[in-house]
Amino acid sequence: IASSSLDTTVIVWNLKDTARCISHSAHEERVHGICWSPKSNLLASCAHNSSIKIWEPKPHGAIEEFIAHGKPIRSVDFHPAGTMVVTGSDDKSVKLWRIPERKFLTSFIGHRNWVRSAKFSPNGKYVATCGDDKSLRIFDVNTRSCICSFTEDLGMGRQLTWHPYRNIVAVALSCNRVKMFDLSSQELIQLYKVHNATVNDLAFHPNGNFMLTGSDDETMKILDIMEGRPIYTLSCHIGRVMSVDFNYDGSNFACAGSDKHLLVWKSNLNNYDFSADDMKSQNEILERHDVPEATAVNSNIISPSSKSIRIDSRHCTALKSHKNNF
């Protein structure tokens, strides 16, 4: 797992029998976002000083740094082929870069305020973006044009995520809502009003049937998107839940919060039948593994090939991490 923080550091955690970590003073200013490459051999981070770093997640790993925007960068994401990254910034632009040449390729124009999130589709053909202008936009990577857009009058887009195998985008909103859009029909297909405060992050389970959300109301929700309803609420942080994500097969997920804790959870969502009449006990659904000494996190990303996240439920995993908020 990789975590980034307002204390300017990025930490890579290797969760085996005990937690071991590599800490990097990644940027001169607070780090807003991180992303693993598809093969997990590189990590990209973006910061308030408009810089991007591409580095090897190991001690003394090679680092490439460049200034990508004129204002703070809020989001960075690798192309599925690992050859490009897309960035979203407070300068209202979304830019495409080729790695490792650090070559600027193009800008996607259309937002009228800060861009909070920009992410490639699973097939790499499209880029979805959302921001403080209350719009969700979909850009074609080849033609560089906006092929569709959606507007939310009640709130701003805080984060977005693509469905793992369908042409669907979900967006977390500052108006306490989560919306899902089908890009084929260009229609809203699901709306969730399950939180009492801003929704900061969301992630699809790899099987595409569930969604995890984190909010300022100090809770996470697990949503069954096949039935269109919340099935579980986790009150795990004393403070805002800033980031959530599943690991590569959905057997574990992580959450990070403003209470300076990073938590790893074990789940059996891959084989659990929530439609059964005799619901199993909640403890059989999810097992929490506390992180008592971690620091508050801005984002946490589980490596797409991270098979090292094997948690023994008999032990807690303590992660001593950052000095400031995630």
PDB file of all heavy atoms in Angstrom, residues 2 10 12 34-45 53-58 61-64 77-79 81-85 98-101 301-305:
ATOM      1  N   ALA A   2       0.472   2.236  -0.729  1.00  0.00           N
ATOM      2  CA  ALA A   2       1.170   3.518  -0.698  1.00  0.00           C
ATOM      3  C   ALA A   2       0.239   4.565  -0.119  1.00  0.00           C
ATOM      4  O   ALA A   2      -0.957   4.576  -0.407  1.00  0.00           O
ATOM      5  CB  ALA A   2       1.616   3.926  -2.094  1.00  0.00           C
ATOM      6  N   VAL A  10       5.601  10.452   1.097  1.00  0.00           N
ATOM      7  CA  VAL A  10       4.914   9.280   0.548  1.00  0.00           C
ATOM      8  C   VAL A  10       5.531   8.058   1.216  1.00  0.00           C
ATOM      9  O   VAL A  10       6.755   7.943   1.301  1.00  0.00           O
ATOM     10  CB  VAL A  10       5.075   9.186  -0.976  1.00  0.00           C
ATOM     11  CG1 VAL A  10       4.561   7.849  -1.486  1.00  0.00           C
ATOM     12  CG2 VAL A  10       4.344  10.324  -1.670  1.00  0.00           C
ATOM     13  N   VAL A  12       5.491   3.764   1.413  1.00  0.00           N
ATOM     14  CA  VAL A  12       5.100   2.484   0.824  1.00  0.00           C
ATOM     15  C   VAL A  12       5.156   1.433   1.921  1.00  0.00           C
ATOM     16  O   VAL A  12       6.198   1.236   2.563  1.00  0.00           O
ATOM     17  CB  VAL A  12       6.031   2.095  -0.331  1.00  0.00           C
ATOM     18  CG1 VAL A  12       5.627   0.733  -0.894  1.00  0.00           C
ATOM     19  CG2 VAL A  12       5.992   3.147  -1.426  1.00  0.00           C
ATOM     20  N   ILE A  34      -1.474  10.046  -5.326  1.00  0.00           N
ATOM     21  CA  ILE A  34      -0.493   9.042  -5.721  1.00  0.00           C
ATOM     22  C   ILE A  34      -1.185   7.993  -6.588  1.00  0.00           C
ATOM     23  O   ILE A  34      -2.407   7.827  -6.545  1.00  0.00           O
ATOM     24  CB  ILE A  34       0.160   8.355  -4.502  1.00  0.00           C
ATOM     25  CG1 ILE A  34      -0.915   7.881  -3.524  1.00  0.00           C
ATOM     26  CG2 ILE A  34       1.167   9.258  -3.838  1.00  0.00           C
ATOM     27  CD1 ILE A  34      -0.363   7.119  -2.346  1.00  0.00           C
ATOM     28  N   CYS A  35      -0.375   7.268  -7.363  1.00  0.00           N
ATOM     29  CA  CYS A  35      -0.939   6.217  -8.218  1.00  0.00           C
ATOM     30  C   CYS A  35       0.146   5.215  -8.569  1.00  0.00           C
ATOM     31  O   CYS A  35       1.274   5.598  -8.892  1.00  0.00           O
ATOM     32  CB  CYS A  35      -1.507   6.836  -9.494  1.00  0.00           C
ATOM     33  SG  CYS A  35      -2.207   5.635 -10.638  1.00  0.00           S
ATOM     34  N   TRP A  36      -0.193   3.921  -8.483  1.00  0.00           N
ATOM     35  CA  TRP A  36       0.704   2.863  -8.926  1.00  0.00           C
ATOM     36  C   TRP A  36       0.625   2.704 -10.437  1.00  0.00           C
ATOM     37  O   TRP A  36      -0.432   2.865 -11.045  1.00  0.00           O
ATOM     38  CB  TRP A  36       0.331   1.530  -8.291  1.00  0.00           C
ATOM     39  CG  TRP A  36       0.652   1.387  -6.836  1.00  0.00           C
ATOM     40  CD1 TRP A  36      -0.198   1.544  -5.793  1.00  0.00           C
ATOM     41  CD2 TRP A  36       1.921   1.042  -6.271  1.00  0.00           C
ATOM     42  NE1 TRP A  36       0.450   1.323  -4.601  1.00  0.00           N
ATOM     43  CE2 TRP A  36       1.759   1.009  -4.869  1.00  0.00           C
ATOM     44  CE3 TRP A  36       3.182   0.762  -6.815  1.00  0.00           C
ATOM     45  CZ2 TRP A  36       2.806   0.705  -4.002  1.00  0.00           C
ATOM     46  CZ3 TRP A  36       4.221   0.451  -5.947  1.00  0.00           C
ATOM     47  CH2 TRP A  36       4.021   0.428  -4.567  1.00  0.00           C
ATOM     48  N   SER A  37       1.747   2.337 -11.051  1.00  0.00           N
ATOM     49  CA  SER A  37       1.718   1.909 -12.441  1.00  0.00           C
ATOM     50  C   SER A  37       1.066   0.526 -12.516  1.00  0.00           C
ATOM     51  O   SER A  37       0.999  -0.184 -11.512  1.00  0.00           O
ATOM     52  CB  SER A  37       3.128   1.858 -13.021  1.00  0.00           C
ATOM     53  OG  SER A  37       3.892   0.857 -12.366  1.00  0.00           O
ATOM     54  N   PRO A  38       0.581   0.110 -13.686  1.00  0.00           N
ATOM     55  CA  PRO A  38      -0.114  -1.188 -13.787  1.00  0.00           C
ATOM     56  C   PRO A  38       0.722  -2.377 -13.326  1.00  0.00           C
ATOM     57  O   PRO A  38       0.185  -3.341 -12.798  1.00  0.00           O
ATOM     58  CB  PRO A  38      -0.442  -1.289 -15.281  1.00  0.00           C
ATOM     59  CG  PRO A  38      -0.521   0.126 -15.745  1.00  0.00           C
ATOM     60  CD  PRO A  38       0.502   0.873 -14.950  1.00  0.00           C
ATOM     61  N   LYS A  39       2.034  -2.319 -13.507  1.00  0.00           N
ATOM     62  CA  LYS A  39       2.900  -3.419 -13.088  1.00  0.00           C
ATOM     63  C   LYS A  39       3.460  -3.224 -11.681  1.00  0.00           C
ATOM     64  O   LYS A  39       4.251  -4.038 -11.210  1.00  0.00           O
ATOM     65  CB  LYS A  39       4.055  -3.583 -14.083  1.00  0.00           C
ATOM     66  CG  LYS A  39       3.609  -4.014 -15.468  1.00  0.00           C
ATOM     67  CD  LYS A  39       4.805  -4.194 -16.391  1.00  0.00           C
ATOM     68  CE  LYS A  39       4.372  -4.637 -17.782  1.00  0.00           C
ATOM     69  NZ  LYS A  39       5.542  -4.819 -18.681  1.00  0.00           N
ATOM     70  N   SER A  40       3.077  -2.144 -11.026  1.00  0.00           N
ATOM     71  CA  SER A  40       3.511  -1.835  -9.658  1.00  0.00           C
ATOM     72  C   SER A  40       5.009  -1.599  -9.537  1.00  0.00           C
ATOM     73  O   SER A  40       5.555  -1.662  -8.433  1.00  0.00           O
ATOM     74  CB  SER A  40       3.091  -2.944  -8.686  1.00  0.00           C
ATOM     75  OG  SER A  40       1.701  -3.098  -8.699  1.00  0.00           O
ATOM     76  N   ASN A  41       5.675  -1.320 -10.648  1.00  0.00           N
ATOM     77  CA  ASN A  41       7.112  -1.057 -10.588  1.00  0.00           C
ATOM     78  C   ASN A  41       7.422   0.427 -10.463  1.00  0.00           C
ATOM     79  O   ASN A  41       8.563   0.808 -10.198  1.00  0.00           O
ATOM     80  CB  ASN A  41       7.805  -1.622 -11.824  1.00  0.00           C
ATOM     81  CG  ASN A  41       7.297  -0.992 -13.112  1.00  0.00           C
ATOM     82  OD1 ASN A  41       6.111  -0.668 -13.221  1.00  0.00           O
ATOM     83  ND2 ASN A  41       8.168  -0.825 -14.087  1.00  0.00           N
ATOM     84  N   LEU A  42       6.414   1.279 -10.626  1.00  0.00           N
ATOM     85  CA  LEU A  42       6.588   2.719 -10.503  1.00  0.00           C
ATOM     86  C   LEU A  42       5.440   3.305  -9.695  1.00  0.00           C
ATOM     87  O   LEU A  42       4.334   2.758  -9.667  1.00  0.00           O
ATOM     88  CB  LEU A  42       6.640   3.393 -11.878  1.00  0.00           C
ATOM     89  CG  LEU A  42       7.818   3.071 -12.786  1.00  0.00           C
ATOM     90  CD1 LEU A  42       7.614   3.706 -14.154  1.00  0.00           C
ATOM     91  CD2 LEU A  42       9.136   3.522 -12.178  1.00  0.00           C
ATOM     92  N   LEU A  43       5.717   4.432  -9.080  1.00  0.00           N
ATOM     93  CA  LEU A  43       4.698   5.169  -8.343  1.00  0.00           C
ATOM     94  C   LEU A  43       4.766   6.624  -8.772  1.00  0.00           C
ATOM     95  O   LEU A  43       5.854   7.196  -8.887  1.00  0.00           O
ATOM     96  CB  LEU A  43       4.960   5.052  -6.847  1.00  0.00           C
ATOM     97  CG  LEU A  43       3.869   5.525  -5.887  1.00  0.00           C
ATOM     98  CD1 LEU A  43       2.642   4.645  -5.987  1.00  0.00           C
ATOM     99  CD2 LEU A  43       4.394   5.518  -4.453  1.00  0.00           C
ATOM    100  N   ALA A  44       3.611   7.203  -9.052  1.00  0.00           N
ATOM    101  CA  ALA A  44       3.533   8.619  -9.409  1.00  0.00           C
ATOM    102  C   ALA A  44       2.891   9.383  -8.267  1.00  0.00           C
ATOM    103  O   ALA A  44       1.938   8.908  -7.649  1.00  0.00           O
ATOM    104  CB  ALA A  44       2.718   8.812 -10.684  1.00  0.00           C
ATOM    105  N   SER A  45       3.408  10.562  -7.970  1.00  0.00           N
ATOM    106  CA  SER A  45       2.837  11.412  -6.938  1.00  0.00           C
ATOM    107  C   SER A  45       2.750  12.847  -7.472  1.00  0.00           C
ATOM    108  O   SER A  45       3.559  13.270  -8.290  1.00  0.00           O
ATOM    109  CB  SER A  45       3.683  11.364  -5.659  1.00  0.00           C
ATOM    110  OG  SER A  45       5.017  11.753  -5.919  1.00  0.00           O
ATOM    111  N   LYS A  53       6.249  13.516  -9.511  1.00  0.00           N
ATOM    112  CA  LYS A  53       7.407  12.645  -9.377  1.00  0.00           C
ATOM    113  C   LYS A  53       7.023  11.232  -9.799  1.00  0.00           C
ATOM    114  O   LYS A  53       5.968  10.724  -9.413  1.00  0.00           O
ATOM    115  CB  LYS A  53       7.936  12.638  -7.948  1.00  0.00           C
ATOM    116  CG  LYS A  53       8.713  13.902  -7.574  1.00  0.00           C
ATOM    117  CD  LYS A  53       9.445  13.738  -6.252  1.00  0.00           C
ATOM    118  CE  LYS A  53      10.295  14.972  -5.945  1.00  0.00           C
ATOM    119  NZ  LYS A  53      11.075  14.824  -4.687  1.00  0.00           N
ATOM    120  N   ILE A  54       7.875  10.633 -10.611  1.00  0.00           N
ATOM    121  CA  ILE A  54       7.744   9.229 -10.998  1.00  0.00           C
ATOM    122  C   ILE A  54       8.943   8.514 -10.404  1.00  0.00           C
ATOM    123  O   ILE A  54      10.089   8.815 -10.747  1.00  0.00           O
ATOM    124  CB  ILE A  54       7.739   9.053 -12.528  1.00  0.00           C
ATOM    125  CG1 ILE A  54       6.736  10.005 -13.192  1.00  0.00           C
ATOM    126  CG2 ILE A  54       7.455   7.609 -12.883  1.00  0.00           C
ATOM    127  CD1 ILE A  54       5.299   9.725 -12.877  1.00  0.00           C
ATOM    128  N   TRP A  55       8.693   7.576  -9.506  1.00  0.00           N
ATOM    129  CA  TRP A  55       9.817   6.969  -8.810  1.00  0.00           C
ATOM    130  C   TRP A  55       9.595   5.490  -8.532  1.00  0.00           C
ATOM    131  O   TRP A  55       8.476   4.995  -8.544  1.00  0.00           O
ATOM    132  CB  TRP A  55      10.124   7.726  -7.520  1.00  0.00           C
ATOM    133  CG  TRP A  55       8.949   8.059  -6.651  1.00  0.00           C
ATOM    134  CD1 TRP A  55       8.021   9.033  -6.880  1.00  0.00           C
ATOM    135  CD2 TRP A  55       8.583   7.443  -5.426  1.00  0.00           C
ATOM    136  NE1 TRP A  55       7.099   9.052  -5.860  1.00  0.00           N
ATOM    137  CE2 TRP A  55       7.422   8.101  -4.944  1.00  0.00           C
ATOM    138  CE3 TRP A  55       9.138   6.421  -4.655  1.00  0.00           C
ATOM    139  CZ2 TRP A  55       6.789   7.742  -3.762  1.00  0.00           C
ATOM    140  CZ3 TRP A  55       8.502   6.063  -3.472  1.00  0.00           C
ATOM    141  CH2 TRP A  55       7.350   6.740  -3.042  1.00  0.00           C
ATOM    142  N   GLU A  56      10.713   4.818  -8.303  1.00  0.00           N
ATOM    143  CA  GLU A  56      10.698   3.397  -7.977  1.00  0.00           C
ATOM    144  C   GLU A  56      10.457   3.241  -6.480  1.00  0.00           C
ATOM    145  O   GLU A  56      11.177   3.822  -5.675  1.00  0.00           O
ATOM    146  CB  GLU A  56      12.023   2.739  -8.366  1.00  0.00           C
ATOM    147  CG  GLU A  56      12.312   2.783  -9.853  1.00  0.00           C
ATOM    148  CD  GLU A  56      13.663   2.204 -10.195  1.00  0.00           C
ATOM    149  OE1 GLU A  56      14.394   1.813  -9.249  1.00  0.00           O
ATOM    150  OE2 GLU A  56      13.996   2.128 -11.383  1.00  0.00           O
ATOM    151  N   PRO A  57       9.459   2.453  -6.100  1.00  0.00           N
ATOM    152  CA  PRO A  57       9.105   2.330  -4.675  1.00  0.00           C
ATOM    153  C   PRO A  57      10.044   1.414  -3.906  1.00  0.00           C
ATOM    154  O   PRO A  57       9.666   0.344  -3.437  1.00  0.00           O
ATOM    155  CB  PRO A  57       7.682   1.758  -4.737  1.00  0.00           C
ATOM    156  CG  PRO A  57       7.664   0.965  -6.003  1.00  0.00           C
ATOM    157  CD  PRO A  57       8.550   1.698  -6.974  1.00  0.00           C
ATOM    158  N   LYS A  58      11.282   1.847  -3.802  1.00  0.00           N
ATOM    159  CA  LYS A  58      12.272   1.096  -3.028  1.00  0.00           C
ATOM    160  C   LYS A  58      13.311   2.086  -2.505  1.00  0.00           C
ATOM    161  O   LYS A  58      13.408   3.216  -3.002  1.00  0.00           O
ATOM    162  CB  LYS A  58      12.936   0.021  -3.891  1.00  0.00           C
ATOM    163  CG  LYS A  58      13.644   0.548  -5.121  1.00  0.00           C
ATOM    164  CD  LYS A  58      14.175  -0.593  -5.970  1.00  0.00           C
ATOM    165  CE  LYS A  58      14.890  -0.079  -7.215  1.00  0.00           C
ATOM    166  NZ  LYS A  58      15.404  -1.195  -8.054  1.00  0.00           N
ATOM    167  N   GLY A  61      15.431   4.522  -4.742  1.00  0.00           N
ATOM    168  CA  GLY A  61      14.939   4.288  -6.087  1.00  0.00           C
ATOM    169  C   GLY A  61      15.072   5.528  -6.952  1.00  0.00           C
ATOM    170  O   GLY A  61      15.056   6.656  -6.465  1.00  0.00           O
ATOM    171  N   ALA A  62      15.221   5.313  -8.242  1.00  0.00           N
ATOM    172  CA  ALA A  62      15.377   6.428  -9.175  1.00  0.00           C
ATOM    173  C   ALA A  62      14.118   7.294  -9.174  1.00  0.00           C
ATOM    174  O   ALA A  62      12.992   6.793  -9.095  1.00  0.00           O
ATOM    175  CB  ALA A  62      15.661   5.902 -10.573  1.00  0.00           C
ATOM    176  N   ILE A  63      14.328   8.590  -9.270  1.00  0.00           N
ATOM    177  CA  ILE A  63      13.220   9.543  -9.229  1.00  0.00           C
ATOM    178  C   ILE A  63      13.307  10.486 -10.420  1.00  0.00           C
ATOM    179  O   ILE A  63      14.370  11.015 -10.733  1.00  0.00           O
ATOM    180  CB  ILE A  63      13.226  10.356  -7.918  1.00  0.00           C
ATOM    181  CG1 ILE A  63      13.013   9.447  -6.717  1.00  0.00           C
ATOM    182  CG2 ILE A  63      12.166  11.452  -7.944  1.00  0.00           C
ATOM    183  CD1 ILE A  63      13.079  10.173  -5.394  1.00  0.00           C
ATOM    184  N   GLU A  64      12.182  10.681 -11.088  1.00  0.00           N
ATOM    185  CA  GLU A  64      12.053  11.688 -12.133  1.00  0.00           C
ATOM    186  C   GLU A  64      11.053  12.722 -11.645  1.00  0.00           C
ATOM    187  O   GLU A  64       9.966  12.379 -11.186  1.00  0.00           O
ATOM    188  CB  GLU A  64      11.562  11.063 -13.442  1.00  0.00           C
ATOM    189  CG  GLU A  64      12.525  10.089 -14.080  1.00  0.00           C
ATOM    190  CD  GLU A  64      13.655  10.793 -14.812  1.00  0.00           C
ATOM    191  OE1 GLU A  64      13.544  12.019 -15.026  1.00  0.00           O
ATOM    192  OE2 GLU A  64      14.641  10.119 -15.150  1.00  0.00           O
ATOM    193  N   ASP A  77      -2.777   9.876 -12.633  1.00  0.00           N
ATOM    194  CA  ASP A  77      -3.226   8.506 -12.897  1.00  0.00           C
ATOM    195  C   ASP A  77      -2.443   7.931 -14.065  1.00  0.00           C
ATOM    196  O   ASP A  77      -2.217   8.614 -15.078  1.00  0.00           O
ATOM    197  CB  ASP A  77      -4.720   8.490 -13.215  1.00  0.00           C
ATOM    198  CG  ASP A  77      -5.286   7.078 -13.290  1.00  0.00           C
ATOM    199  OD1 ASP A  77      -4.991   6.268 -12.394  1.00  0.00           O
ATOM    200  OD2 ASP A  77      -6.026   6.781 -14.247  1.00  0.00           O
ATOM    201  N   PHE A  78      -2.032   6.666 -13.942  1.00  0.00           N
ATOM    202  CA  PHE A  78      -1.317   5.974 -15.005  1.00  0.00           C
ATOM    203  C   PHE A  78      -2.282   5.427 -16.050  1.00  0.00           C
ATOM    204  O   PHE A  78      -3.370   4.929 -15.724  1.00  0.00           O
ATOM    205  CB  PHE A  78      -0.514   4.796 -14.439  1.00  0.00           C
ATOM    206  CG  PHE A  78       0.890   5.131 -14.040  1.00  0.00           C
ATOM    207  CD1 PHE A  78       1.209   5.358 -12.708  1.00  0.00           C
ATOM    208  CD2 PHE A  78       1.895   5.215 -14.988  1.00  0.00           C
ATOM    209  CE1 PHE A  78       2.506   5.654 -12.328  1.00  0.00           C
ATOM    210  CE2 PHE A  78       3.193   5.510 -14.624  1.00  0.00           C
ATOM    211  CZ  PHE A  78       3.506   5.736 -13.297  1.00  0.00           C
ATOM    212  N   HIS A  79      -1.852   5.480 -17.319  1.00  0.00           N
ATOM    213  CA  HIS A  79      -2.538   4.777 -18.397  1.00  0.00           C
ATOM    214  C   HIS A  79      -2.408   3.274 -18.161  1.00  0.00           C
ATOM    215  O   HIS A  79      -1.397   2.806 -17.619  1.00  0.00           O
ATOM    216  CB  HIS A  79      -1.910   5.169 -19.733  1.00  0.00           C
ATOM    217  CG  HIS A  79      -2.623   4.638 -20.933  1.00  0.00           C
ATOM    218  ND1 HIS A  79      -2.383   3.375 -21.451  1.00  0.00           N
ATOM    219  CD2 HIS A  79      -3.581   5.204 -21.729  1.00  0.00           C
ATOM    220  CE1 HIS A  79      -3.149   3.182 -22.507  1.00  0.00           C
ATOM    221  NE2 HIS A  79      -3.884   4.266 -22.697  1.00  0.00           N
ATOM    222  N   ALA A  81      -1.516   0.981 -19.988  1.00  0.00           N
ATOM    223  CA  ALA A  81      -0.292   0.443 -20.587  1.00  0.00           C
ATOM    224  C   ALA A  81       0.954   0.883 -19.829  1.00  0.00           C
ATOM    225  O   ALA A  81       2.059   0.375 -20.091  1.00  0.00           O
ATOM    226  CB  ALA A  81      -0.188   0.873 -22.045  1.00  0.00           C
ATOM    227  N   GLY A  82       0.809   1.835 -18.915  1.00  0.00           N
ATOM    228  CA  GLY A  82       1.929   2.301 -18.124  1.00  0.00           C
ATOM    229  C   GLY A  82       2.843   3.281 -18.830  1.00  0.00           C
ATOM    230  O   GLY A  82       3.901   3.636 -18.306  1.00  0.00           O
ATOM    231  N   THR A  83       2.449   3.748 -20.006  1.00  0.00           N
ATOM    232  CA  THR A  83       3.317   4.625 -20.809  1.00  0.00           C
ATOM    233  C   THR A  83       2.988   6.099 -20.647  1.00  0.00           C
ATOM    234  O   THR A  83       3.784   6.955 -21.054  1.00  0.00           O
ATOM    235  CB  THR A  83       3.189   4.267 -22.291  1.00  0.00           C
ATOM    236  OG1 THR A  83       1.807   4.366 -22.689  1.00  0.00           O
ATOM    237  CG2 THR A  83       3.673   2.848 -22.548  1.00  0.00           C
ATOM    238  N   MET A  84       1.841   6.426 -20.078  1.00  0.00           N
ATOM    239  CA  MET A  84       1.429   7.815 -19.944  1.00  0.00           C
ATOM    240  C   MET A  84       0.812   8.040 -18.568  1.00  0.00           C
ATOM    241  O   MET A  84       0.380   7.097 -17.907  1.00  0.00           O
ATOM    242  CB  MET A  84       0.397   8.187 -21.027  1.00  0.00           C
ATOM    243  CG  MET A  84       0.898   8.098 -22.446  1.00  0.00           C
ATOM    244  SD  MET A  84      -0.355   8.633 -23.653  1.00  0.00           S
ATOM    245  CE  MET A  84      -1.523   7.275 -23.546  1.00  0.00           C
ATOM    246  N   VAL A  85       0.773   9.315 -18.153  1.00  0.00           N
ATOM    247  CA  VAL A  85       0.011   9.717 -16.978  1.00  0.00           C
ATOM    248  C   VAL A  85      -0.861  10.904 -17.358  1.00  0.00           C
ATOM    249  O   VAL A  85      -0.526  11.691 -18.251  1.00  0.00           O
ATOM    250  CB  VAL A  85       0.913  10.098 -15.774  1.00  0.00           C
ATOM    251  CG1 VAL A  85       1.678   8.902 -15.276  1.00  0.00           C
ATOM    252  CG2 VAL A  85       1.833  11.259 -16.117  1.00  0.00           C
ATOM    253  N   ARG A  98       3.770  11.716 -21.551  1.00  0.00           N
ATOM    254  CA  ARG A  98       4.375  10.430 -21.852  1.00  0.00           C
ATOM    255  C   ARG A  98       5.544  10.181 -20.900  1.00  0.00           C
ATOM    256  O   ARG A  98       6.382  11.046 -20.688  1.00  0.00           O
ATOM    257  CB  ARG A  98       4.879  10.379 -23.306  1.00  0.00           C
ATOM    258  CG  ARG A  98       5.361   8.983 -23.710  1.00  0.00           C
ATOM    259  CD  ARG A  98       5.828   8.961 -25.158  1.00  0.00           C
ATOM    260  NE  ARG A  98       4.751   9.291 -26.073  1.00  0.00           N
ATOM    261  CZ  ARG A  98       3.794   8.445 -26.459  1.00  0.00           C
ATOM    262  NH1 ARG A  98       3.786   7.207 -25.965  1.00  0.00           N
ATOM    263  NH2 ARG A  98       2.868   8.818 -27.290  1.00  0.00           N
ATOM    264  N   ILE A  99       5.564   8.978 -20.333  1.00  0.00           N
ATOM    265  CA  ILE A  99       6.594   8.563 -19.390  1.00  0.00           C
ATOM    266  C   ILE A  99       7.466   7.516 -20.079  1.00  0.00           C
ATOM    267  O   ILE A  99       6.955   6.644 -20.774  1.00  0.00           O
ATOM    268  CB  ILE A  99       5.951   7.949 -18.121  1.00  0.00           C
ATOM    269  CG1 ILE A  99       4.986   8.968 -17.508  1.00  0.00           C
ATOM    270  CG2 ILE A  99       7.002   7.536 -17.111  1.00  0.00           C
ATOM    271  CD1 ILE A  99       5.609  10.277 -17.066  1.00  0.00           C
ATOM    272  N   PRO A 100       8.812   7.515 -19.973  1.00  0.00           N
ATOM    273  CA  PRO A 100       9.605   8.335 -19.054  1.00  0.00           C
ATOM    274  C   PRO A 100      10.185   9.595 -19.679  1.00  0.00           C
ATOM    275  O   PRO A 100      10.996  10.263 -19.042  1.00  0.00           O
ATOM    276  CB  PRO A 100      10.716   7.377 -18.654  1.00  0.00           C
ATOM    277  CG  PRO A 100      10.961   6.586 -19.904  1.00  0.00           C
ATOM    278  CD  PRO A 100       9.611   6.430 -20.562  1.00  0.00           C
ATOM    279  N   GLU A 101       9.803   9.922 -20.920  1.00  0.00           N
ATOM    280  CA  GLU A 101      10.410  11.082 -21.573  1.00  0.00           C
ATOM    281  C   GLU A 101       9.996  12.406 -20.952  1.00  0.00           C
ATOM    282  O   GLU A 101      10.572  13.440 -21.262  1.00  0.00           O
ATOM    283  CB  GLU A 101      10.052  11.099 -23.063  1.00  0.00           C
ATOM    284  CG  GLU A 101      10.511   9.886 -23.844  1.00  0.00           C
ATOM    285  CD  GLU A 101       9.381   8.886 -23.987  1.00  0.00           C
ATOM    286  OE1 GLU A 101       8.623   8.704 -23.007  1.00  0.00           O
ATOM    287  OE2 GLU A 101       9.262   8.302 -25.075  1.00  0.00           O
ATOM    288  N   ILE A 301      -3.373   4.083  -1.884  1.00  0.00           N
ATOM    289  CA  ILE A 301      -3.605   3.305  -3.087  1.00  0.00           C
ATOM    290  C   ILE A 301      -2.993   1.931  -2.882  1.00  0.00           C
ATOM    291  O   ILE A 301      -1.823   1.815  -2.504  1.00  0.00           O
ATOM    292  CB  ILE A 301      -2.954   3.967  -4.318  1.00  0.00           C
ATOM    293  CG1 ILE A 301      -3.544   5.380  -4.537  1.00  0.00           C
ATOM    294  CG2 ILE A 301      -3.159   3.119  -5.552  1.00  0.00           C
ATOM    295  CD1 ILE A 301      -4.999   5.389  -4.920  1.00  0.00           C
ATOM    296  N   ILE A 302      -3.777   0.893  -3.143  1.00  0.00           N
ATOM    297  CA  ILE A 302      -3.273  -0.473  -3.046  1.00  0.00           C
ATOM    298  C   ILE A 302      -2.715  -0.888  -4.395  1.00  0.00           C
ATOM    299  O   ILE A 302      -3.344  -0.706  -5.432  1.00  0.00           O
ATOM    300  CB  ILE A 302      -4.384  -1.431  -2.597  1.00  0.00           C
ATOM    301  CG1 ILE A 302      -4.811  -1.086  -1.167  1.00  0.00           C
ATOM    302  CG2 ILE A 302      -3.917  -2.871  -2.686  1.00  0.00           C
ATOM    303  CD1 ILE A 302      -5.864  -2.004  -0.612  1.00  0.00           C
ATOM    304  N   SER A 303      -1.508  -1.409  -4.378  1.00  0.00           N
ATOM    305  CA  SER A 303      -0.838  -1.824  -5.603  1.00  0.00           C
ATOM    306  C   SER A 303      -1.683  -2.840  -6.362  1.00  0.00           C
ATOM    307  O   SER A 303      -2.225  -3.772  -5.776  1.00  0.00           O
ATOM    308  CB  SER A 303       0.513  -2.448  -5.254  1.00  0.00           C
ATOM    309  OG  SER A 303       1.052  -3.123  -6.358  1.00  0.00           O
ATOM    310  N   PRO A 304      -1.826  -2.685  -7.692  1.00  0.00           N
ATOM    311  CA  PRO A 304      -2.667  -3.612  -8.455  1.00  0.00           C
ATOM    312  C   PRO A 304      -2.170  -5.049  -8.437  1.00  0.00           C
ATOM    313  O   PRO A 304      -2.941  -5.963  -8.674  1.00  0.00           O
ATOM    314  CB  PRO A 304      -2.625  -3.028  -9.875  1.00  0.00           C
ATOM    315  CG  PRO A 304      -1.471  -2.108  -9.905  1.00  0.00           C
ATOM    316  CD  PRO A 304      -1.294  -1.610  -8.510  1.00  0.00           C
ATOM    317  N   SER A 305      -0.884  -5.266  -8.154  1.00  0.00           N
ATOM    318  CA  SER A 305      -0.371  -6.633  -8.074  1.00  0.00           C
ATOM    319  C   SER A 305       0.049  -6.986  -6.655  1.00  0.00           C
ATOM    320  O   SER A 305       0.887  -7.842  -6.445  1.00  0.00           O
ATOM    321  CB  SER A 305       0.820  -6.792  -9.015  1.00  0.00           C
ATOM    322  OG  SER A 305       1.871  -5.928  -8.638  1.00  0.00           O
TER     323      SER A 305
END
